[in-house]
Amino acid sequence: MTDPMSRVPNPQKAAAGSRPEGSAEDAGPGAPPSDFIREAVAKDLENGRFSYVRTRWPPEPNGYLHIGHAKAICTDFGIAAEFGGACNFRFDDTNPTKEEQEYVDAIKADTRWLGFDWGDREFFASDYFEQLYMWAERLIAAGKAYVCDLSEQEIREFRGTDVADKGPITVTPPGKNSPYRDRSVEENLDLFRRMRGGEFPDSARTLRAKIDMAHPNLHMRDPVMYRIRHATHHRTGDTWCIYPMYDYQHPLSDSIEGVTHSLCSQEYEIHRPLYDWFLENIGIFHSRQIEFARLNITHTVLSKRWLLELVKEDRVRGWDDPRMPTLRGLRRRGYTPEAIRDFVSRVGMAKTNSTAEIELLEHCLREDLNRRCRRAMAVLHPVKLIIENWPKDKVEEMEAVNNPEDPAAGSRRVPFSGVLYIEQDDFREVPPPKYYRLSPGQQVRLRYAYIITCTGVRKDPSTGAVREILATYDPLTRGGNAPDNRKVKATIHWVSAGHALTAEARLYDHLFSAEYPQEVPEGVDWKDTINPASLEVVPDARVEPGLAAAVPGDRFQFERLGYFYVDPDSSAGKPVFNRTVSLKDTWARIERKSTAGA
């Protein structure tokens, strides 16, 4: 096998070039802030610990990425780029019972979508299985590893605790040695080779590091290095039936690739002594592990296991459900990679876990969409507005601005007639205080069109519901400007009834009503906090006719309603629009406050 150290990058080559590899085209506004990781990397270069910077993005191909992974991706690729280095993309594929090629492909696609490229630096832990095995034999030969016949449960009991592996260091009574701990080197080598040869069934034996069963850190109590799994691997097939554990494989793969800074989430701080032990006792290039706080967001769960429960129990429509925090779910909802990268940058880097408010993520999204989205008019809950003094069969075209934030986006022509659709909420027959929209005798401005005055309503005789709103228009106010400078306090949107296109709108909200769904009281199922109003399907919305040309992936700001994304479920003549995020609604806040105080 090629000498693993030959793969350590040339520091001069890593620093060459005006644009570092692996960086996103637009990493968000402003220069990256300084933090404890960047300070540590800079110090390592200054004092000569390393002469170059190489990080790694090491996903396990056993599920889909979520926004929590986006923080790791931005950190791994971003820090490497800032220091003129590079980031390796390495799949930690050591568990064939849970890993699939489908996940490999999805993770690569999601990472590219987020804005990062790894060039030719795509690796798999399975690339190193032979070298990892040889190093395991080296530890056996040095008397630092042994084959153990204890079951998984017995190993936990001998370690002296039933505390979960992850989390802070827990003070526990010393463990006790395995009865197989003092096997001879020759017997251990023979058994390990027979394990590789497939002689023993699953879980019959393990290879364990011989460290210290009284160590206060549970991970140092003779951790398992290899276990037997007679399962087909998605890349190596049936070549192997023993597979390395993450804590053994990970530092060694980092070393093989010449990774200088192995950046990982805070839960791996307790694993760091073991990370260092393997590198030091095998005697190979020593990468440095640095931990940072995981990303947590209100009204959201970021756990593969919990998200899998939602999918399996049909609480959502799959991994790409737009309510899911997966990158493919956010993408289908209409999120942009720029907004996610901006959010990660604003959250910053910390050593202790905290929770970011989902409103910050939505703020970053609105800022980005406001700059890029073309405007359009749509009516989600339509009611007819009939302009009584409009000339029969007359149709005018109104000039509408495509994006006031981008003059280069130009304008479009929108048909206007005497029969329009407006939002039901834009009319109140008996208006409450401070209601400035349409009501009997009240004037409003129709966006880009005319000032109208409500003259009455027509109701369904059986239900009493308003069926049509009647109004007159002032022909001198085309464009919305009144020659007499009268004050009109509200402007509402509309679509021409005879020209409108019928569309489906899917109105998404937070998946969980609870701010911290993972912290529910004892006896409460966290899934009971799912927001019953997280999705409202509007089958018969009306949109301006120009949206007939919209294709999946297009984004629009529906004026006064929010930002919308064309869903892949769209078909010819029946587009489907996902609400990515709403606009701020001052009146809705006033109304809620008024209702609460009543």
Side-chain angles (χ1 to χ4, degrees):
M1 181 175 177
T2 303
D3 179 0
M5 296 310 297
S6 68
R7 303 189 67 177
V8 175
N10 182 306
Q12 284 75 32
K13 182 178 179 181
S18 59
R19 183 174 185 82
E21 292 182 88
S23 60
E25 288 298 318
D26 175 14
S34 178
D35 55 57
F36 70 96
I37 293 182
R38 289 171 170 85
E39 291 170 359
V41 173
K43 187 174 182 180
D44 285 344
L45 293 174
E46 181 182 351
N47 63 25
R49 180 172 183 172
F50 301 111
S51 59
Y52 65 94
V53 172
R54 174 154 294 196
T55 61
R56 86 290 173 268
W57 157 230
E60 298 175 65
N62 60 4
Y64 296 98
L65 301 183
H66 55 64
I67 193 170
H69 295 113
K71 179 178 180 179
I73 296 171
C74 292
T75 300
D76 292 328
F77 281 94
I79 287 180
E82 289 165 29
F83 286 91
C87 179
N88 287 357
F89 194 145
R90 181 180 73 243
F91 288 93
D92 283 340
D93 56 340
T94 59
N95 188 350
T97 63
K98 293 184 178 181
E99 297 160 354
E100 299 177 16
Q101 185 62 39
E102 173 190 351
Y103 297 134
V104 172
D105 296 338
I107 290 169
K108 288 162 64 174
D110 287 346
T111 303
R112 284 197 179 96
W113 174 78
L114 195 57
F116 297 96
D117 182 73
W118 51 96
D120 62 352
R121 298 182 308 283
E122 181 178 309
F123 305 103
F124 293 81
S126 54
D127 292 338
Y128 314 135
F129 278 176
E130 187 65 39
Q131 179 63 73
L132 299 179
Y133 176 85
M134 292 170 61
W135 279 332
E137 286 206 355
R138 181 187 297 183
L139 289 175
I140 294 173
K144 297 178 179 180
Y146 63 96
V147 174
C148 182
D149 295 1
L150 294 178
S151 68
E152 292 181 15
Q153 179 59 34
E154 289 171 330
I155 289 175
R156 284 193 291 269
E157 293 172 357
F158 273 58
R159 290 172 76 194
T161 180
D162 289 327
V163 175
D165 285 345
K166 293 185 178 181
I169 295 175
T170 305
V171 177
T172 60
K176 60 181 181 179
N177 290 345
S178 165
Y180 309 100
R181 196 173 195 264
D182 295 324
R183 279 173 163 157
S184 68
V185 168
E186 292 73 22
E187 185 179 6
N188 282 319
L189 283 173
D190 174 66
L191 288 172
F192 189 48
R193 290 165 182 169
R194 290 162 64 188
M195 286 170 60
R196 174 176 179 170
E199 186 173 330
F200 309 115
D202 285 1
S203 304
R205 288 186 160 96
T206 59
L207 181 70
R208 300 175 65 183
K210 185 185 290 187
I211 306 179
D212 181 2
M213 289 299 292
H215 200 287
N217 184 338
L218 300 179
H219 294 279
M220 301 297 283
R221 295 184 182 180
D222 290 11
V224 173
M225 296 166 54
Y226 274 88
R227 75 285 206 207
I228 301 172
R229 290 287 186 272
H230 290 275
T232 301
H233 190 278
H234 69 100
R235 294 187 72 246
T236 62
D238 297 321
T239 302
W240 293 87
C241 63
I242 58 171
Y243 291 92
M245 300 295 288
Y246 179 88
D247 277 343
Y248 173 69
Q249 169 273 133
H250 187 75
L252 306 189
S253 296
D254 284 348
S255 179
I256 289 173
E257 296 174 11
V259 169
T260 59
H261 297 88
S262 185
L263 310 177
C264 54
S265 53
Q266 192 66 36
E267 68 219 58
Y268 289 100
E269 180 181 19
I270 192 175
H271 298 245
R272 194 192 328 144
L274 182 56
Y275 182 100
D276 294 335
W277 188 91
F278 281 124
L279 295 175
E280 291 164 1
N281 282 274
I282 294 174
I284 53 179
F285 176 82
H286 200 309
S287 308
R288 179 183 181 184
Q289 177 175 301
I290 304 176
E291 307 85 17
F292 58 88
R294 296 182 60 177
L295 177 63
N296 296 300
I297 305 174
T298 56
H299 300 284
T300 308
V301 296
L302 295 177
S303 160
K304 281 184 182 179
R305 178 174 59 84
W306 287 21
L307 295 177
L308 180 61
E309 283 187 47
L310 295 177
V311 173
K312 284 187 172 180
E313 296 179 13
D314 295 323
R315 306 283 186 136
V316 293
R317 294 178 58 190
W319 289 100
D320 67 343
D321 187 307
R323 294 167 293 178
M324 289 280 276
T326 56
L327 293 186
R328 55 183 42 211
L330 294 172
R331 182 163 66 248
R332 184 167 184 176
R333 184 158 171 172
Y335 272 70
T336 64
E338 292 84 359
I340 294 174
R341 296 200 304 266
D342 183 25
F343 170 68
V344 169
S345 176
R346 296 192 193 203
V347 168
M349 195 64 62
K351 293 184 179 181
T352 56
N353 289 330
S354 60
T355 302
E357 293 187 354
I358 197 169
E359 288 81 6
L360 175 59
L361 173 60
E362 293 170 343
H363 172 74
C364 295
L365 180 61
R366 288 189 185 98
E367 279 200 340
D368 184 60
L369 294 178
N370 188 50
R371 291 190 295 265
R372 70 173 67 242
C373 282
R374 200 187 98 183
R375 276 42 171 179
M377 288 193 289
V379 176
L380 301 183
H381 302 96
V383 61
K384 274 189 177 179
L385 171 70
I386 298 176
I387 303 176
E388 295 181 291
N389 61 335
W390 185 262
K392 186 179 180 181
D393 298 328
K394 181 180 179 181
V395 176
E396 291 186 2
E397 287 192 332
M398 301 299 171
E399 193 83 12
V401 175
N402 283 332
N403 188 340
E405 303 294 322
D406 179 16
S411 61
R412 66 193 186 282
R413 310 288 288 182
V414 182
F416 183 90
S417 66
V419 181
L420 310 173
Y421 286 119
I422 65 170
E423 291 286 351
Q424 293 176 14
D425 283 348
D426 281 339
F427 174 79
R428 296 290 174 87
E429 188 174 11
V430 181
K434 297 184 181 180
Y435 185 84
Y436 301 118
R437 304 179 198 177
L438 202 58
S439 60
Q442 182 77 28
Q443 290 187 334
V444 298
R445 181 182 293 103
L446 296 178
R447 182 73 161 150
Y448 303 119
Y450 296 95
I451 294 174
I452 62 169
T453 303
C454 179
T455 58
V457 297
R458 291 176 183 157
K459 297 184 178 182
D460 186 311
S462 59
T463 65
V466 173
R467 188 175 62 190
E468 296 174 344
I469 302 166
L470 307 178
T472 58
Y473 85 109
D474 184 344
L476 299 179
T477 60
R478 181 182 168 97
N481 297 316
D484 57 2
N485 294 320
R486 80 188 81 158
K487 291 184 179 181
V488 178
K489 294 185 176 181
T491 299
I492 65 175
H493 63 282
W494 51 272
V495 292
S496 173
H499 302 85
L501 177 70
T502 300
E504 179 178 306
R506 297 173 182 172
L507 309 182
Y508 293 100
D509 201 347
H510 303 152
L511 182 56
F512 292 94
S513 301
E515 189 171 12
Y516 305 102
Q518 70 275 25
E519 298 178 7
V520 295
E522 187 176 353
V524 176
D525 187 340
W526 63 275
K527 293 187 288 291
D528 289 342
T529 70
I530 290 176
N531 178 11
S534 62
L535 171 60
E536 177 190 353
V537 177
V538 180
D540 295 311
R542 302 293 197 276
V543 300
E544 62 179 69
L547 293 181
V551 296
D554 285 349
R555 296 181 175 88
F556 300 91
Q557 184 200 98
F558 287 172
E559 299 204 29
R560 302 178 62 235
L561 297 176
Y563 295 95
F564 287 75
Y565 181 81
V566 183
D567 189 85
D569 286 347
S570 298
S571 59
K574 186 66 182 289
V576 176
F577 294 95
N578 296 331
R579 185 174 65 188
T580 307
V581 65
S582 63
L583 296 176
K584 294 181 180 179
D585 189 340
T586 303
W587 163 248
R589 290 199 301 272
I590 293 174
E591 189 171 49
R592 284 196 298 269
K593 185 176 180 180
S594 175
T595 303

